[in-house]
Amino acid sequence: MRDITLLSEGWSLHHEGRALSARVPGCAHDDLLAHGLLPDPYLGSNEEDVAWVGRRPWTYSRRLDAGTAHERTDLVFDGLDTAAEVGLAGRELGRTRNMHRSYRFDVTGCSGELTVRFVSAYGEAEAVRAIVGERPNVYPAPSQYIRKMACSFGWDWGPTLVTAGMWRPVRLEHWSTARIARMRPLVTVSQETGRVEVHVEVERTATGTGRRLTARVTVAGVRHETQFTGDEAVVSLEVPDPELWWPRGYGEQHLYDLELTLSDGDEVLDVRRHRIGFRTIELDRAADEHGTAFTLVVNGVRLFARGVNWIPDDALPSRVTAERYRHRLRQAVEANVDLVRVWGGGIYEDDAFYDACDELGLMVWQDFLFACAAYPEEQPLRGEIEAEARENVVRLMPHPSLVLWNGNNENLWGFRDWDWEPELAGASWGEGYYLGLLPRIVAELDPTRPYAAGSPWSGSWDHHPNDPDHGTHHSWEVWNRRDFAEYRESVPRFVAEFGWQAPPAMATLQRALPGEALAPDSPGMLHHQKAEDGQDKLNRGVSRHFILPEGDFDRWHYLTQLVQARAIAAGIEHWRSNWPVCAGTVVWQLNDCWPVTSWSAIDGDGRLKPLYYELRRLYADRLLSLQPGPEGPVLALANQTAHTWSTEVSLRRLSADGGVSAEHTWRVEVGARSVVRSQIPQSVAIAPGSAKEYLVADADGLRALHFAVPDRDFAYPRPRFDVQVEPVAGQGDRVDIVVTAHSLVRDLLLQPDRLAPDAEADRGLTSLLPGEQARIRVRGWSGTDCPTARAALFCVEPA
């Protein structure tokens, strides 16, 4: 039986003549931090002071004894970041140049000092660039010349921290006769019968060559086996009436244990286990009267995808634990998300990420790792890219949560729109990967899943790559140049990226920028804003709706977070109400990798922005909204459940001071997985441009508001409300903050981290009419002081 010895202990990092104890998995930055030799790169402008780490070589070493009673011992690295020379007892075992692959070396009977010498990723990239020639990149760093997490070199939300180290586990594998080298389960279901076809590849020792081995597969109590003498075998079995795996909100996440056993007679040589799920996945890309569809269909059910984009959860990715993955993904589920797109400038995440998605019912859209640059198709990169893609397709394909392979992020669009074509002058730039190599690999290894060439991508060069009427669309013009109301000007078939920035929570800013007098343009705020013209775009977004506060950072902070939530709401409400023409939205972005002003819903310290709570509303199974229309406001009810939604809608026209001037009530039936849109009755409609009246719609506890003018032009009364703090019986770290409104209180927000850094609230933005009450449950603060609670509350105020 194959034995494993983990090599996580006993490593040293060599630095200036010293051998520092090192953590594996880990990286040089983390080890230097642990020894007090590096300032925290996430604080202040320390990022600049640690840039030298990424520009020098690093060596790790430890004593290794590979002696064993087995015939063979392999040294296995699950991840080396990135260009390294591996040596044992003064002998070179091999060289690596890809962070996204594993490596295996035969060290049978060897002992001595094991060394892993990393060269600077910059140096490796420059050497490759000298071979293949210049290629355009959105960013100045040479990320496209090395198979490394591209955002290590900096992004418009991320720091430049060019890491080096053994970022995934290292182990010795001892085995005899043969081992399972690769296991590839193809899982399908048809007519209430599940089929599992396991493709097995083995590696044999010299004594194992030609021996008759047995491969046995067991799933759900069904067992089948085959004998073979070569290096490959296929074992197939059928599972009658399997329970299906469904995305969250559509059904249960039934999972089955699959076990593959490799035997030589009665002796078990190797065992591999995976959890699998039975479900069908299709991607409808049919042409229709609106253009070209892009609709996910799971188990025959057409879905509006409620998605978020995922970036690496830490700029030092070896820090991310299985517990952290699960916590962050559970936060996504609690925001009613059902799809997570793993973005192409990051990494293929750890198995723990996909395990959690399987269990939580989160569909995974997996990018291959290409983003915002032209990638050479020559050696040495081409061979690395093919090996990387093959390994990761096989590694991830057992997961039922994985529903889509995607070739790249924005590179097909970049070729057409970002002036790449003349600069390339006929040189390769990646098209051969996205339209040739990668779809061939997916078709060969994982034919059960669809493949898309890129995001955005219209489906062919017959249409612009980012044509909203065809395929996937990235909507960035609104954030970059326009008002968020302009999301409503089109109905893309699938919005794979759109977003709006906001700063992180105050406690996050105070930790990241210690001692700084915070201001929108203070040095630390500007350093922790990586987007081009980012602060000016934030200010422009606020000033279109509010008077931009001068000298009041707290107010500016609240308004920027409010506008972020409002912007995303404008897009999702509009696009969801146009289902099935639009079949999904994937918000940029769920998470952050450090404390930064960005498009995230959860900031770099894990604190929830108002956008997070707004996503919970926007992605709920039932959504009520009031939206501007060419002939006046439109009421939209979206029902994503499998049952008809029969409800009574109450629509009121109110004056700014709270008086009801008109009211209309009627019943509405919304079919399963459908939308009803209706024009507002004229008897309730407000006059165009009215600054003194607004609309309120209520249905089954859901509420929508409509104002005809920007907030800065509306005649808001001075907000008046009472605040009480009530301890929660039997829960010493929980209180209810009860707000009673005596006027219109629009977009009331409690910022819980102002009460205590780790405090959390159960709700975000809430609008109250006169006489209404909101009860905000706070966890992590046990105070009873009403003035303190009131100081943490913000709302819209008159101009």
Side-chain angles (χ1 to χ4, degrees), residues 25-30 42 79-82 99-100 148-153 157 159-169 310-322 324-325 345-353 369 591-594:
C27 68
H29 286 84
D30 240 356
Y42 292 178
L80 292 172
D81 177 15
T82 294
M99 177 182 183
H100 310 302
K148 176 177 174 59
M149 184 172 87
C151 61
S152 291
F153 294 95
W157 38 257
T160 300
L161 292 173
V162 180
T163 48
M166 289 165 279
W167 74 291
R168 282 185 168 157
W310 171 277
I311 65 170
D313 206 50
D314 202 301
L316 307 180
S318 57
R319 289 177 170 180
V320 182
T321 63
R324 183 161 158 185
Y325 275 129
I347 57 175
Y348 303 101
E349 299 290 345
D350 187 80
D351 288 330
F353 173 93
L369 301 186
N591 58 327
D592 267 324
C593 63
W594 76 312

Side-chain angles (χ1 to χ4, degrees), residues 482-716:
R482 302 161 68 184
D483 180 50
F484 63 72
E486 295 176 66
Y487 281 132
R488 303 186 185 104
E489 291 185 352
S490 67
V491 182
R493 304 311 304 269
F494 193 105
V495 188
E497 278 190 23
F498 76 110
W500 201 276
Q501 275 200 348
M506 279 296 296
T508 300
L509 288 173
Q510 289 165 349
R511 186 193 70 83
L513 306 175
E516 179 161 314
L518 295 174
D521 59 352
S522 60
M525 287 294 296
L526 294 179
H527 184 78
H528 287 247
Q529 165 62 275
K530 296 298 185 179
E532 182 180 1
D533 197 29
Q535 296 302 82
D536 286 342
K537 290 174 184 175
L538 281 175
N539 290 339
R540 289 197 295 271
V542 170
S543 63
R544 290 184 179 108
H545 297 269
F546 301 92
I547 300 297
L548 192 66
E550 298 290 341
D552 187 345
F553 182 79
D554 288 345
R555 192 79 195 153
W556 178 88
H557 180 265
Y558 161 73
L559 290 176
T560 51
Q561 290 200 330
L562 169 61
V563 169
Q564 180 190 38
R566 291 246 197 112
I568 300 307
I572 294 178
E573 287 178 343
H574 170 63
W575 294 321
R576 250 191 100 170
S577 70
N578 279 281
W579 161 261
V581 177
C582 180
T585 55
V586 188
V587 176
W588 187 272
Q589 65 213 62
L590 175 68
N591 58 327
D592 267 324
C593 63
W594 76 312
V596 64
T597 294
S598 83
W599 298 265
S600 72
I602 304 171
D603 77 18
D605 280 7
R607 295 187 175 92
L608 308 178
K609 295 183 185 179
L611 171 59
Y612 174 86
Y613 298 97
E614 192 68 352
L615 285 177
R616 185 182 292 172
R617 178 184 73 86
L618 295 164
Y619 278 163
D621 285 345
R622 293 171 175 171
L623 175 64
L624 175 73
S625 63
L626 282 167
Q627 303 170 34
E631 299 177 5
V634 173
L635 180 76
L637 294 91
N639 175 25
Q640 209 150 343
T641 74
H643 309 285
T644 296
W645 179 19
S646 180
T647 185
E648 184 174 272
V649 176
S650 169
L651 182 64
R652 289 174 285 170
R653 184 175 73 229
L654 282 78
S655 61
D657 62 9
V660 178
S661 54
E663 187 169 6
H664 184 76
T665 302
W666 72 105
R667 292 208 64 81
V668 178
E669 286 204 354
V670 190
R673 321 236 192 261
S674 64
V675 174
V676 168
R677 293 168 58 93
S678 58
Q679 203 71 38
I680 296 302
Q682 283 299 313
S683 62
V684 188
I686 56 178
S690 173
K692 296 182 178 181
E693 291 185 312
Y694 62 102
L695 295 178
V696 179
D698 292 286
D700 284 344
L702 305 179
R703 170 168 286 178
L705 281 72
H706 172 74
F707 293 75
V709 295
D711 295 77
R712 61 185 296 160
D713 298 328
F714 190 75
Y716 282 108

Side-chain angles (χ1 to χ4, degrees), residues 1-5 68-73 172-180 216 259-264 266-273:
M1 180 70 173
R2 180 174 60 105
D3 294 327
I4 292 177
T5 303
T68 177
H70 280 281
E71 295 177 64
R72 172 85 172 262
T73 298
L172 289 175
E173 289 190 5
H174 312 283
W175 54 282
S176 298
T177 306
R179 71 175 185 90
I180 300 169
R216 179 183 302 113
E259 181 177 274
L260 168 65
T261 302
L262 180 68
S263 301
D264 179 13
D266 294 332
E267 181 184 3
V268 175
L269 302 176
D270 202 354
V271 177
R272 295 291 174 89
R273 298 179 179 89

Side-chain angles (χ1 to χ4, degrees), residues 320-352:
V320 182
T321 63
E323 293 75 21
R324 183 161 158 185
Y325 275 129
R326 187 168 296 274
H327 175 66
R328 193 73 70 238
L329 292 168
R330 188 170 293 282
Q331 288 176 313
V333 166
E334 291 170 356
N336 293 316
V337 168
D338 61 21
L339 180 143
V340 177
R341 176 191 172 210
V342 181
W343 168 76
I347 57 175
Y348 303 101
E349 299 290 345
D350 187 80
D351 288 330

Side-chain angles (χ1 to χ4, degrees), residues 271-522:
V271 177
R272 295 291 174 89
R273 298 179 179 89
H274 279 295
R275 286 184 308 172
I276 61 171
F278 292 95
R279 89 289 182 269
T280 63
I281 175 67
E282 304 165 73
L283 181 60
D284 179 2
R285 289 183 272 202
D288 58 25
E289 68 271 27
H290 303 287
T292 308
F294 194 94
T295 304
L296 288 167
V297 186
V298 179
N299 298 328
V301 176
R302 302 172 69 82
L303 310 181
F304 180 94
R306 296 169 280 187
V308 288
N309 281 274
W310 171 277
I311 65 170
D313 206 50
D314 202 301
L316 307 180
S318 57
R319 289 177 170 180
V320 182
T321 63
E323 293 75 21
R324 183 161 158 185
Y325 275 129
R326 187 168 296 274
H327 175 66
R328 193 73 70 238
L329 292 168
R330 188 170 293 282
Q331 288 176 313
V333 166
E334 291 170 356
N336 293 316
V337 168
D338 61 21
L339 180 143
V340 177
R341 176 191 172 210
V342 181
W343 168 76
I347 57 175
Y348 303 101
E349 299 290 345
D350 187 80
D351 288 330
F353 173 93
Y354 304 93
D355 287 341
C357 290
D358 290 343
E359 295 168 17
L360 295 170
L362 288 169
M363 296 180 288
V364 177
W365 160 332
Q366 176 68 56
D367 280 12
F368 287 100
L369 301 186
F370 305 89
C372 300
Y375 286 79
E377 298 175 34
E378 294 80 19
Q379 298 293 8
L381 289 172
R382 186 178 183 86
E384 287 292 341
I385 285 166
E386 179 166 359
E388 165 196 319
R390 288 181 174 278
E391 177 174 336
N392 284 285
V393 167
V394 171
R395 178 171 74 90
L396 300 183
M397 62 183 290
H399 295 280
S401 57
L402 179 59
V403 298
L404 179 68
W405 293 104
N406 179 59
N408 74 88
N409 176 74
E410 298 190 343
N411 293 343
L412 295 160
W413 181 20
F415 178 76
R416 177 59 53 88
D417 270 7
W418 300 347
D419 297 323
W420 288 4
E421 199 164 358
E423 184 177 346
L424 286 164
S428 66
W429 56 275
E431 182 183 28
Y433 298 142
Y434 319 135
L435 300 180
L437 176 67
L438 295 176
R440 285 198 300 272
I441 289 173
V442 171
E444 173 193 343
L445 299 177
D446 188 18
T448 68
R449 287 182 179 86
Y451 169 86
S455 185
W457 179 233
S458 58
S460 78
W461 288 115
D462 292 338
H463 307 288
H464 188 280
N466 200 30
D467 188 330
D469 294 333
H470 300 275
T472 52
H473 177 68
H474 288 195
S475 179
W476 285 115
E477 279 298 298
V478 171
W479 156 253
N480 283 322
R481 296 173 181 85
R482 302 161 68 184
D483 180 50
F484 63 72
E486 295 176 66
Y487 281 132
R488 303 186 185 104
E489 291 185 352
S490 67
V491 182
R493 304 311 304 269
F494 193 105
V495 188
E497 278 190 23
F498 76 110
W500 201 276
Q501 275 200 348
M506 279 296 296
T508 300
L509 288 173
Q510 289 165 349
R511 186 193 70 83
L513 306 175
E516 179 161 314
L518 295 174
D521 59 352
S522 60

